[in-house]
Amino acid sequence: MSRRQPEITPELMVRAYRAGLFPMAESRGSDRLYWLDPERRGIIPLDAGFHVPKRLLRSVLGAAFEVTADRDFAAAIAGCAAPAPGREDTWINADIERLFTALHRDGHAHSIEVWQAGALVGGLYGVTIGGVFFGESMFSRVRDASKVALVHLVARLRLGGYALLDSQFLTEHLSQFGAHEIPRADYKRRLAAAIALPATWEAAPPAERLAAEIRSLRAGPA
């Protein structure tokens, strides 16, 4: 007889993130979650180590996209869960969507949405505790949309006094921005220090202040 998985609640999720754990499902259709604590953790720098390709910086500061935060969290996580070319299945199952939507209602989960001509074309979501943003997933339906979302996320985190942006794993997509891996023990030390910080989530900072912060990001190769 199979054992029923203990109920995972939003409160348990917060405690797990504080300890450096995060949940995943094996597939979109899976009815079970499991906890991960990788030996090496991907992080995205929030200081001068974060760099933006020059071409992308022009796209971020241009008028092609409208970028919002927390306007439609449900649509952002649904976009991350949807099949895409090269990613026919995801680890975001119904329980993940339910739990993170509850965390959003409690003020612990946030989204960045990227719009074009009124349609949602990209975005990301993650969890915030203290001065840490735990990035979960991102999606893009047009070129650069997820990258634009990431740049806007970093600008908001810098404005809000965050110290750690956790990407969980390192990907080629993220490495171009300066993302890298650190050992688990180093991550846990940084996590403990950053969680204690009184950071503020900047969902809608003044447009001029946000644009100035984006311009201050280090521009990398074209």
Side-chain angles (χ1 to χ4, degrees), residues 153-186:
L153 172 67
V154 169
R156 283 168 169 78
L157 296 181
R158 286 163 57 107
L159 288 173
Y162 283 75
L164 181 60
L165 173 50
D166 174 6
S167 67
Q168 299 177 349
F169 302 107
L170 180 64
T171 67
E172 183 178 352
H173 175 75
L174 295 176
S175 63
Q176 66 185 298
F177 295 97
H180 57 279
E181 290 183 329
I182 59 175
R184 179 163 52 200
D186 187 10

Side-chain angles (χ1 to χ4, degrees), residues 99-177:
L99 288 164
F100 280 95
T101 300
L103 287 174
H104 174 63
R105 289 195 299 266
D106 292 342
H108 278 303
H110 300 284
S111 59
I112 300 288
E113 305 93 11
V114 180
W115 310 83
Q116 190 172 65
L120 184 64
V121 295
L124 58 81
Y125 77 97
V127 173
T128 58
I129 304 174
V132 185
F133 188 96
F134 305 86
E136 289 296 315
S137 186
M138 59 175 60
F139 76 101
S140 184
R141 293 173 179 149
V142 301
R143 184 184 184 188
D144 288 343
S146 63
K147 297 176 183 178
V148 169
L150 177 61
V151 173
H152 270 263
L153 172 67
V154 169
R156 283 168 169 78
L157 296 181
R158 286 163 57 107
L159 288 173
Y162 283 75
L164 181 60
L165 173 50
D166 174 6
S167 67
Q168 299 177 349
F169 302 107
L170 180 64
T171 67
E172 183 178 352
H173 175 75
L174 295 176
S175 63
Q176 66 185 298
F177 295 97

Side-chain angles (χ1 to χ4, degrees), residues 195-217:
I195 278 180
L197 296 176
T200 302
W201 170 250
E202 294 272 357
E208 299 82 2
R209 187 164 169 247
L210 180 61
E213 188 63 39
I214 291 172
R215 290 190 184 95
S216 75
L217 297 174

Side-chain angles (χ1 to χ4, degrees), residues 1-51:
M1 179 180 296
S2 61
R3 296 177 60 185
R4 182 180 178 84
Q5 184 178 28
E7 181 185 7
I8 298 177
T9 64
E11 294 75 19
L12 177 61
M13 294 268 283
V14 171
R15 293 200 301 272
Y17 275 94
R18 285 182 174 274
L21 307 176
F22 58 91
M24 295 183 73
E26 291 186 353
S27 67
R28 176 68 174 161
S30 174
D31 61 356
R32 294 181 62 85
L33 302 180
Y34 58 98
W35 297 101
L36 283 84
D37 185 12
E39 292 185 6
R40 297 188 63 81
R41 196 71 162 239
I43 63 169
I44 301 172
L46 293 174
D47 54 17
F50 183 82
H51 50 265

Side-chain angles (χ1 to χ4, degrees), residues 24-30 79-94 137:
M24 295 183 73
E26 291 186 353
S27 67
R28 176 68 174 161
S30 174
C80 292
R87 190 195 68 182
E88 283 66 36
D89 197 5
T90 74
W91 55 269
I92 302 172
N93 68 358
S137 186

